[in-house]
Amino acid sequence: MDPEKTQLSKGYDPVPIEDKWYAEWVKSGLFHADETSAKPHFSIVIPPPNVTGSLHVGHALDDTLQDILCRTKRMQGCEVLWLPGTDHAGIATQNVVERSLAGEGVSRHDLGREEFVKRVWQWKEKYGSTIINQLKKLGASCDWERERFTMDEGLSRAVRKIFVELHRKGLIYRGKYLINWCPRCQTALSDLEVEHEEEDGKFYEVSYKFADGGEGAVIVMTTRPETILGDSAIAIHPRDEKNRRLVGKKVVVPLVGRVIPVIEDNMVDPDFGTGCVKITPAHDPNDFLVGQRHNLEQIQVIDWRGVMNENSGKYRGMGRFEAREAVVEDLKREGLLLSVTDLKHSVGHCYRCHTVIEPYLSEQWFVKTRPLADAGVAAVKAGKIKFVPEQWTNVYYQWMENIRDWCISRQLWWGHRIPAWYCDECGCVMVEEEAPQKCPKCGNAKLRQDEDVLDTWFSSGLWPFSTMGWPDDTQTLRKFYPTSVLVTGFDIIFFWVARMIMFGLEGMKGEVPFRDVYIHALVRDEKGQKMSKSRGNVIDPLTIVKDYGADALRLTLAALTVQGRDIFLSTERISTYRLFMNKLWNASRFALMNLGAEGEEPRIDEGELKLQDKWILNRISQISAEMTRLLDGYFFGEAARLMYDFTWGELCDWYLELSKPALRGEEGEARRRTTQAVLIALFEDVLKLLHPIIPFVTEELWHASPFGKELIERCGWPKPRVAEIDEKVLSDMAFVQDVVRAVRNLRAEARIAPQQLIGGVTFNVHDSDKLALLRSAEEQTSLLTKVKKIAFAEGSSEKPEKSLAAVLDGVQVYLPVGELLDVEKEIQRLKNDIAKLEKEIEKGKAKLANKNFVERAPEEVIEKEKSALADNETKARRMKENLSSLTD
């Protein structure tokens, strides 16, 4: 590539820059990974977004962090594969298409399965690429030639392969179990797909009479009286002495008349309620297990629609909540309802449509997860996988060690069809990768495939290796698997991360799917609230890109990222970081305008380097090394803030200001040429270090510069500019900076305009080395403080009359102000301001001493109060010092 030299406009405008450079990156093949390369590999698979979705701010964070890593590793000499793709998202996509059909007055049942699936594919082709295009807008440097979809033929083959292998090992089985069921979506749900919410409910105290007509009754409490119709037993705890007399007795199920036994089981909490619990094996997961242990009848009274069935007698055809009200009224009428009390309890809802889920007894396919989970735990404990931040390791262990078998069948039409076929002639079940031609037992050729599809997370659990060609032994797999890192949110550690680990170890013969798992936090609004449409606080990343540019959004998200802490995002913060682009742009234009004629190649002359030149070359070397360390450790926020502070502060506010006399030719031609060479070195490194975070603007500035002959990422990560860090240079410059700040602070306190040139300042220096340093840096100090003349005094000279003073280590700084302001008025102003501040300080101390405030106020409010108090105390101290200076 040899593009024409970019001509920088006066102001930064992201609009013409971003599309231009993204197209150039793609055209040049920058993002394509070469599987035959001998370079060390670095690989990431993107968490595949649903084809139903559009880019939200969580995606923007997730993909910005991945992109920072990928761009950095390319520059550091790795062969980088960032593999993109999307997920078919079974329930979500089917629901979206069904809603679309409803708008046409059609249901999926009107179309039939085959036609409906065609319509979903059409929908996917039309809308499914939306999020991919949005990722490109954000600057994601994915290898788009390798884009995958979870229902591509290659990935579908992988799904069938792993299903068959797990089934043959006995790790996938079919059985009739109580599962979570959504009556609205009409499908099974895994435990993770059930969202529990606190709701107002009621406790119903119900009397069960003895079957032999004896006096008294067994009293139970229930939150779901409609399920009484399916009771199979009453249970007490084996060590419950107060109820032991009931064991072996028979009671009559209210409203039904069925006789059931009183049994013992450890599941019962003897201290809860009466200590007697009704057992309904077909409608409660704990009761189901009790029923299995005691061989109780499973009486199903609610069907797949949430409607009472033929086993519910007179309530048949009622909705489950309608039946609840009717049962309560009948219990009351028969004198069997003893009390009703209010309670708050946790109720499970479908994670997609928020319908209250129903425990439902049905035949489903399950993964026996215990052996897989044990292997996943062992891999992390052996150090093969590392969670960052480390705190998530224990969260992972806790879930894996308490895992239950995973229901993987879904009663949907969109998804990977379960590779099982049934022979209705002899009952044979065949689990095969391809459709069998006939039954192996009886030869029947009319076989029926299972109607159900697999849970979406089953196929996405194979994502790191199915996308690279597994089950074939591909060169891509050999080069890029296992992947280097997974970047994702904590909310899918169990949905996705754990399942990828289990399937990766199983499918890839003990090899983990990734080495590191970086878990980022949630993006919330500026008040710390979760973003939601109902709150009206959603920040649309594409709107931000349009208004502020992708780089501004990326820098903001990166800079606010701190391991283990949520991000509080606002458009004000994005606007603030947008100003950094202007600063970088203007600084680059200044440098370019002062680099001399085209064709000149300035070289650094070591003999012409001044303190500020040596300092900045040492600092950029330190910054390069620190950026490498931070990004290797996934400290994205620290890295972004380091570059922000260095570029704005040290480069622009200090070095560029100090370079102006040399660039104007005031220090001679040799100094001018050396300063130009230092500027070139600085901007070359700064643009490289910033590029992974803000790629568009840095690429534009790069190609406007003398070194911009190739794309940045093909030019390598910065190397140290000095052989060894010179600590004396750094400490000398730090001291000069402290002195300059002291003078500037005195000017500000005297309310002297920053650009006003003043007569003089006196430095009373007690150390000969510091005196020599300040004398050698006199020109720089005068330039930065806007002071005509600096007077040096050694030892304990008297303070100049009517001067403000600042005390540093070994130096007193005196700023005479007698001719610059009315000293008597200044003294009175200081007294008044000190009095006001002391009142604020007392109020702050009283607030923080108030126990009620400290215990009840949010942590951020308390920290804000402490910070305000500290600031006020510092201001008051400085004002008192100034007052003392003027009155002594």
Side-chain angles (χ1 to χ4, degrees):
M1 175 186 170
D2 186 20
E4 293 182 13
K5 191 59 63 180
T6 298
Q7 298 300 313
L8 293 185
S9 59
K10 286 187 178 180
Y12 164 66
D13 180 3
V15 174
I17 295 173
E18 295 184 351
D19 287 344
K20 174 184 81 173
W21 284 114
Y22 200 88
E24 184 61 48
W25 294 331
V26 173
K27 178 184 172 185
S28 69
L30 180 65
F31 307 154
H32 183 63
D34 180 3
E35 59 194 18
T36 66
S37 167
K39 295 178 185 177
H41 91 278
F42 180 85
S43 56
I44 294 180
V45 290
I46 201 169
N50 295 348
V51 290
T52 58
S54 61
L55 189 69
H56 59 66
V57 77
H59 286 126
L61 170 65
D62 201 270
D63 295 303
T64 293
L65 301 184
Q66 291 175 77
D67 196 47
I68 290 171
L69 292 175
C70 290
R71 289 181 185 271
T72 301
K73 291 301 178 182
R74 285 192 198 96
M75 296 173 74
Q76 291 175 348
C78 292
E79 191 64 37
V80 174
L81 169 61
W82 184 11
L83 201 152
T86 49
D87 195 302
H88 68 280
I91 293 178
T93 307
Q94 179 158 318
N95 283 348
V96 168
V97 176
E98 284 196 72
R99 283 198 297 271
S100 174
L101 289 173
E104 304 172 21
V106 178
S107 75
R108 66 181 166 113
H109 300 286
D110 295 329
L111 294 178
R113 182 168 191 150
E114 188 175 337
E115 189 56 37
F116 175 75
V117 170
K118 281 183 185 176
R119 289 290 289 268
V120 182
W121 274 107
Q122 290 169 8
W123 192 94
K124 182 263 177 187
E125 293 304 318
K126 186 174 181 181
Y127 298 105
S129 60
T130 300
I131 201 163
I132 297 299
N133 293 328
Q134 292 169 340
L135 285 170
K136 292 177 180 178
K137 277 286 184 187
L138 194 65
S141 61
C142 298
D143 186 346
W144 300 112
E145 295 175 46
R146 284 188 166 96
E147 183 185 336
R148 297 290 183 265
F149 177 55
T150 48
M151 286 181 64
D152 286 346
E153 176 47 41
L155 277 70
S156 296
R157 179 172 157 239
V159 167
R160 295 193 299 272
K161 174 79 173 175
I162 198 89
F163 188 99
V164 171
E165 287 188 354
L166 291 172
H167 182 263
R168 286 175 181 165
K169 290 183 176 182
L171 295 175
I172 284 182
Y173 63 92
R174 186 169 180 254
K176 194 167 188 179
Y177 287 86
L178 199 70
I179 46 89
N180 304 301
W181 182 266
C182 175
R184 156 63 184 80
C185 298
Q186 294 180 4
T187 184
L189 301 172
S190 71
D191 291 343
L192 291 175
E193 292 168 320
V194 178
E195 295 179 343
H196 292 273
E197 299 172 13
E198 284 290 314
E199 290 188 358
D200 292 325
K202 295 186 185 298
F203 249 141
Y204 302 90
E205 191 177 28
V206 181
S207 174
Y208 286 62
K209 294 181 177 179
F210 290 112
D212 61 8
E215 290 187 12
V218 174
I219 311 301
V220 303
M221 299 189 78
T222 181
T223 58
R224 303 186 66 209
E226 70 277 11
T227 64
I228 288 173
L229 310 175
D231 286 354
S232 295
I234 301 291
I236 67 165
H237 194 278
R239 291 193 300 276
D240 183 359
E241 295 299 329
K242 70 179 182 295
N243 287 316
R244 178 164 296 284
R245 59 185 175 79
L246 299 175
V247 177
K249 289 186 176 290
K250 307 276 191 192
V251 297
V252 178
V253 178
L255 309 181
V256 177
R258 185 169 57 252
V259 175
I260 60 174
V262 179
I263 62 173
E264 294 178 303
D265 194 275
N266 288 320
M267 179 273 288
V268 180
D269 179 357
D271 298 320
F272 180 76
T274 63
C276 300
V277 176
K278 69 186 219 55
I279 304 299
T280 318
H283 291 285
D284 181 273
N286 291 321
D287 294 2
F288 175 77
L289 297 175
V290 174
Q292 286 192 315
R293 287 194 288 270
H294 296 273
N295 198 28
L296 298 176
E297 186 180 3
Q298 298 171 335
I299 305 168
Q300 204 158 3
V301 296
I302 303 173
D303 72 11
W304 50 275
R305 301 165 299 166
V307 173
M308 307 306 289
N309 67 11
E310 66 279 2
N311 295 325
S312 60
K314 66 183 255 187
Y315 308 100
R316 181 177 184 176
M318 292 184 184
R320 52 188 168 152
F321 301 122
E322 178 190 0
R324 179 177 299 175
E325 294 179 9
V327 166
V328 168
E329 285 302 313
D330 288 347
L331 288 170
K332 193 184 299 180
R333 187 172 55 253
E334 293 192 15
L336 300 175
L337 184 63
L338 304 183
S339 70
V340 181
T341 54
D342 293 333
L343 84 154
K344 285 270 189 186
H345 65 149
S346 181
V347 178
H349 295 73
C350 172
Y351 80 120
R352 280 295 171 193
C353 70
H354 305 296
T355 299
V356 174
I357 64 106
E358 187 64 41
Y360 185 65
L361 189 64
S362 68
E363 198 145 45
Q364 302 287 341
W365 289 90
F366 294 83
V367 172
K368 188 181 291 183
T369 49
R370 180 77 276 147
L372 300 173
D374 288 345
V377 168
V380 175
K381 287 186 173 178
K384 294 180 180 179
I385 299 172
K386 179 179 74 173
F387 281 83
V388 181
E390 202 275 332
Q391 70 197 55
W392 293 108
T393 308
N394 288 332
V395 175
Y396 166 81
Y397 287 154
Q398 186 177 10
W399 186 74
M400 292 288 265
E401 288 164 0
N402 292 284
I403 200 168
R404 299 202 312 180
D405 284 2
W406 170 22
C407 176
I408 54 172
S409 45
R410 297 290 180 270
Q411 289 64 51
L412 304 170
W413 288 355
W414 172 245
H416 293 100
R417 192 92 170 259
I418 287 176
W421 285 263
Y422 304 96
C423 174
D424 293 328
E425 292 292 325
C426 69
C428 178
V429 180
M430 292 143 276
V431 174
E432 302 290 345
E433 290 182 48
E434 303 297 336
Q437 298 301 306
K438 60 182 181 178
C439 174
K441 286 188 177 179
C442 70
N444 176 30
K446 292 183 178 179
L447 304 178
R448 173 175 54 86
Q449 187 176 0
D450 199 301
E451 293 287 320
D452 293 348
V453 300
L454 287 163
D455 178 7
T456 297
W457 297 101
F458 189 95
S459 53
S460 56
L462 313 181
W463 187 251
F465 54 96
S466 65
T467 51
M468 295 189 193
W470 187 89
D472 293 334
D473 180 22
T474 66
Q475 200 160 1
T476 302
L477 266 175
R478 290 196 297 273
K479 176 70 178 176
F480 295 110
Y481 190 91
T483 60
S484 308
V485 60
L486 175 75
V487 177
T488 190
F490 67 84
D491 52 334
I492 55 173
I493 290 177
F494 312 135
F495 276 115
W496 192 45
V497 179
R499 286 163 177 171
M500 281 191 288
I501 292 172
M502 291 191 289
F503 279 170
L505 291 166
E506 180 66 23
M508 294 299 293
K509 310 307 178 193
E511 184 59 270
V512 295
F514 25 72
R515 301 299 186 195
D516 294 342
V517 181
Y518 175 78
I519 303 292
H520 62 72
L522 282 177
V523 183
R524 300 180 180 274
D525 70 9
E526 69 271 22
K527 296 176 183 175
Q529 298 181 106
K530 193 171 181 179
M531 292 188 187
S532 69
K533 291 180 181 176
S534 60
R535 285 198 181 103
N537 63 348
V538 171
I539 294 176
D540 181 351
L542 293 184
T543 301
I544 296 300
V545 169
K546 181 180 176 184
D547 294 344
Y548 298 93
D551 284 330
L553 176 59
R554 290 169 62 107
L555 178 60
T556 307
L557 290 170
L560 297 180
T561 297
V562 176
Q563 288 185 9
R565 190 186 304 169
D566 285 346
I567 290 173
F568 293 2
L569 187 66
S570 65
T571 51
E572 288 75 19
R573 282 186 157 180
I574 297 164
S575 179
T576 298
Y577 281 104
R578 167 67 164 75
L579 295 176
F580 178 80
M581 309 304 154
N582 294 339
K583 188 77 172 178
L584 178 64
W585 188 272
N586 291 334
S588 300
R589 286 190 76 243
F590 169 80
L592 288 172
M593 288 188 294
N594 286 280
L595 289 184
E598 186 73 27
E600 289 185 312
E601 292 188 17
R603 295 279 186 271
I604 294 176
D605 182 343
E606 295 286 338
E608 292 293 331
L609 293 176
K610 287 192 173 183
L611 175 63
Q612 65 264 26
D613 305 308
K614 296 174 184 177
W615 164 72
I616 202 71
L617 290 171
N618 274 270
R619 285 296 293 137
I620 193 62
S621 298
Q622 286 183 315
I623 295 291
S624 297
E626 185 66 357
M627 282 293 287
T628 302
R629 183 189 72 81
L630 290 173
L631 292 176
D632 283 349
Y634 310 111
F635 295 105
F636 298 99
E638 291 85 340
R641 293 191 297 276
L642 177 68
M643 288 309 302
Y644 181 98
D645 293 341
F646 173 80
T647 305
W648 195 301
E650 295 174 79
L651 174 59
C652 295
D653 291 352
W654 289 94
Y655 185 74
L656 290 188
E657 290 302 314
L658 288 168
S659 71
K660 287 177 180 178
L663 294 172
R664 289 194 294 261
E666 296 171 12
E667 299 175 2
E669 181 62 16
R671 275 287 300 143
R672 184 180 76 86
R673 301 287 287 156
T674 290
T675 303
Q676 288 174 334
V678 172
L679 273 183
I680 289 173
L682 284 174
F683 276 91
E684 182 176 359
D685 288 359
V686 165
L687 292 177
K688 284 181 176 181
L689 293 169
L690 280 168
H691 179 71
I693 304 169
I694 47 173
F696 295 106
V697 67
T698 49
E699 195 78 76
E700 181 77 0
L701 295 172
W702 180 264
H703 288 280
S705 305
F707 41 73
K709 297 178 174 63
E710 181 55 276
L711 294 172
I712 294 185
E713 286 179 49
R714 290 187 171 141
C715 295
W717 195 244
K719 293 181 173 61
R721 292 288 177 176
V722 294
E724 189 176 340
I725 299 298
D726 189 329
E727 296 296 340
K728 186 175 186 309
V729 164
L730 295 175
S731 63
D732 284 353
M733 186 65 186
F735 180 72
V736 172
Q737 287 175 311
D738 285 342
V739 172
V740 169
R741 290 189 192 99
V743 177
R744 286 174 170 175
N745 288 340
L746 292 176
R747 288 176 57 111
E749 286 159 9
R751 301 187 177 184
I752 299 168
Q755 297 306 314
Q756 181 182 340
L757 192 64
I758 61 176
V761 66
T762 298
F763 298 153
N764 184 20
V765 190
H766 302 270
D767 180 281
S768 58
D769 289 339
K770 287 180 178 175
L771 178 60
L773 172 61
L774 288 176
R775 285 188 183 281
S776 69
E778 183 177 356
E779 289 181 9
Q780 295 97 315
T781 308
S782 293
L783 174 69
L784 294 173
T785 58
K786 297 290 188 294
V787 171
K788 290 180 185 176
K789 182 173 177 55
I790 296 174
F792 294 95
E794 191 168 3
S796 56
S797 65
E798 290 186 10
K799 186 190 85 165
E801 188 180 352
K802 294 182 180 179
S803 294
L804 293 178
V807 180
L808 301 174
D809 182 20
V811 181
Q812 279 103 33
V813 178
Y814 299 121
L815 177 66
V817 293
E819 296 179 3
L820 298 171
L821 49 81
D822 186 324
V823 173
E824 294 305 317
K825 279 187 178 179
E826 181 65 12
I827 289 171
Q828 190 56 48
R829 182 188 71 80
L830 285 170
K831 287 179 178 178
N832 293 338
D833 288 351
I834 289 168
K836 288 178 185 175
L837 270 177
E838 286 181 336
K839 285 182 181 178
E840 289 298 317
I841 289 167
E842 289 307 311
K843 280 171 62 179
K845 286 180 176 178
K847 204 169 195 178
L848 289 168
N850 185 325
K851 189 177 179 182
N852 286 336
F853 171 75
V854 173
E855 289 178 353
R856 294 178 183 177
E859 187 178 338
E860 60 267 23
V861 173
I862 295 171
E863 288 303 316
K864 191 174 180 181
E865 283 294 331
K866 287 180 179 178
S867 177
L869 176 61
D871 287 346
N872 285 336
E873 287 176 331
T874 301
K875 287 177 187 175
R877 186 168 59 253
R878 290 289 304 135
M879 286 180 180
K880 288 175 182 177
E881 289 170 358
N882 290 339
L883 182 60
S884 177
S885 295
L886 293 174
T887 54
D888 286 349

